[in-house]
């Protein structure tokens, strides 16, 4: 297990909670983002995530560094899963500890917003009658002809 990583296997939450815990920390906040069945009235069968792994892990570490700078004394671990994920699977886990709970909550929310903004991870929703890449970026296989 690395502190900031992209994985292809199911995420085991406890190891990331334990990673950020020590005798100085009074609070640990663990967020897990799961694949949901319904989005905007459309039933999702499963999701598929892709990432540019070296850059994604670098950006996850950057987020951890930003959190440490803004909330001194925090410890952060972030993992995101790629590949096909079924309903209820964990797609992302953020574990933040700090001496006080307010900082742990604030840092954890900051982390998920930054992940969505800067980390090169792409999500494809697969439905009964089709599929579509979500967000401003597209997956590596779609619309790649003729692009730099």
């Amino acid at each position: 297990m690395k502190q900031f990583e992209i994985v292809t296997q199911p995420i085991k939450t406890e190891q990331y909670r334990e990673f950020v815990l020590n005798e100085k920390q009074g609070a640990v906040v663990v967020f897990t983002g799961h694949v949901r069945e319904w989005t905007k009235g459309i039933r999702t069968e499963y999701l598929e995530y892709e990432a540019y792994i070296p850059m994604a892990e670098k950006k996850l570490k950057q987020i951890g560094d930003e959190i440490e700078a803004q909330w001194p004394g925090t410890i952060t671990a972030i993992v995101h899963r790629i590949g096909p994920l079924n309903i209820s699977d964990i797609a992302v886990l953020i574990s933040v500890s700090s001496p006080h709970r307010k900082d742990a909550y604030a840092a954890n929310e900051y982390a998920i917003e930054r992940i969505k903004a800067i980390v090169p991870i792409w999500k494809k929703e697969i439905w009964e009658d089709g599929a579509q890449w979500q967000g401003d970026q597209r997956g590596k296989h779609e619309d790649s002809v003729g692009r730099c």
Side-chain angles (χ1 to χ4, degrees):
M1 182 206 118
K2 297 187 295 185
Q3 188 173 2
F4 304 103
E5 65 183 337
I6 302 296
V7 299
T8 58
Q9 298 300 312
I11 296 171
K12 297 181 183 350
T13 59
E14 188 60 17
Q15 65 185 352
Y16 297 97
R17 187 192 68 79
E18 287 179 1
F19 183 88
V20 302
L21 186 58
N22 67 37
E23 68 281 353
K24 296 177 184 175
Q25 307 306 73
V28 176
V29 173
V30 177
F31 168 80
T32 55
H34 297 255
V35 177
R36 65 178 170 257
E37 183 175 14
W38 293 91
T39 302
K40 298 178 184 174
I42 300 171
R43 185 176 178 274
T44 301
E45 290 193 351
Y46 67 96
L47 298 180
E48 180 131 354
Y49 285 93
E50 292 182 358
Y52 175 41
I53 295 171
M55 182 59 75
E57 289 182 340
K58 181 178 177 181
K59 291 295 187 179
L60 293 176
K61 182 183 181 320
Q62 175 186 325
I63 293 166
D65 292 344
E66 291 171 6
I67 289 170
E68 171 62 26
Q70 189 164 342
W71 294 279
T74 57
I75 302 169
T76 303
I78 305 172
V79 58
H80 202 296
R81 186 172 167 197
I82 60 171
L85 279 74
N86 293 313
I87 304 304
S88 297
D89 283 351
I90 298 172
V92 62
L93 178 141
I94 303 163
S95 184
V96 178
S97 67
S98 70
H100 305 286
R101 71 179 179 274
K102 282 188 176 184
D103 289 348
Y105 278 115
N108 202 295
E109 184 173 13
Y110 175 87
I112 192 63
E113 296 305 324
R114 290 293 285 157
I115 289 167
K116 291 174 177 258
I118 69 167
V119 181
I121 297 172
W122 302 276
K123 175 176 75 172
K124 185 177 189 179
E125 291 186 5
I126 293 84
W127 314 296
E128 293 173 331
D129 61 350
Q132 181 177 8
W133 288 100
Q134 300 299 316
D136 295 333
Q137 300 169 319
R138 297 185 182 275
K140 65 183 178 185
H141 302 296
E142 191 165 309
D143 291 341
S144 61
V145 177
R147 294 182 120 184
C148 298

